[in-house]
Amino acid sequence: MKILRKTYLFFLKRAAKKNRVIFDVSDLPLERAISLEFAVPYFYEEVEKVIFGINAKYIFASYSMRDYIVKKYGMKFEDTSVCINGGNPLDDKIEVKEEIKNFIDSNKVNYVYAGTLA
């Protein structure tokens, strides 16, 4: 499994050098495991360091999650944004917050949410 992880991280870093990458960070498995007192797989921290060390944009599910990771990894605040899941009902016209507009190119598929809302 280590070779697969290393290969994945290698290609992820390489792809991010020539492409604009946006991570939708809906959860932080390392911090969740620690807070729930689960045994933390040894590779979680390695993967997290690589992902948050890439020159990319990041969308977090909460303001506190964003603030925590920005501080922990010394990321640029302007490379981050927050999109609260399952918030307000949609109106006929969807307005995009100014802080999100910089991430969106209406000529391309920007992201697809493939999770669940409970």
Side-chain angles (χ1 to χ4, degrees):
M1 293 304 284
K2 185 176 183 178
I3 188 92
L4 290 175
R5 182 175 62 257
K6 295 285 188 188
T7 303
Y8 168 77
L9 294 174
F10 170 80
F11 283 112
L12 180 62
K13 289 188 284 190
R14 185 172 175 173
K17 288 181 181 178
K18 295 185 179 184
N19 297 283
R20 186 169 185 222
V21 176
I22 302 173
F23 289 100
D24 181 353
V25 184
S26 58
D27 203 356
L28 300 169
L30 175 62
E31 281 69 27
R32 183 182 61 204
I34 292 169
S35 68
L36 295 174
E37 299 180 359
F38 290 158
V40 179
Y42 65 93
F43 59 87
Y44 272 27
E45 191 166 5
E46 173 191 0
V47 172
E48 190 174 274
K49 283 180 183 178
V50 170
I51 288 174
F52 292 121
I54 290 175
N55 183 20
K57 303 292 183 187
Y58 301 86
I59 302 172
F60 293 91
S62 74
Y63 293 98
S64 59
M65 185 186 300
R66 172 180 64 181
D67 295 343
Y68 172 76
I69 292 298
V70 165
K71 183 178 179 181
K72 181 175 180 179
Y73 291 103
M75 296 168 57
K76 291 187 269 178
F77 188 80
E78 59 270 14
D79 288 343
T80 68
S81 187
V82 174
C83 181
I84 306 296
N85 289 337
N88 303 320
L90 295 176
D91 295 328
D92 290 337
K93 181 181 175 194
I94 299 173
E95 293 185 28
V96 179
K97 292 182 179 181
E98 282 300 317
E99 65 183 79
I100 303 288
K101 286 182 181 179
N102 295 333
F103 292 100
I104 296 174
D105 180 347
S106 59
N107 297 315
K108 297 179 182 178
V109 174
N110 291 285
Y111 60 86
V112 176
Y113 179 74
T116 59
L117 295 175

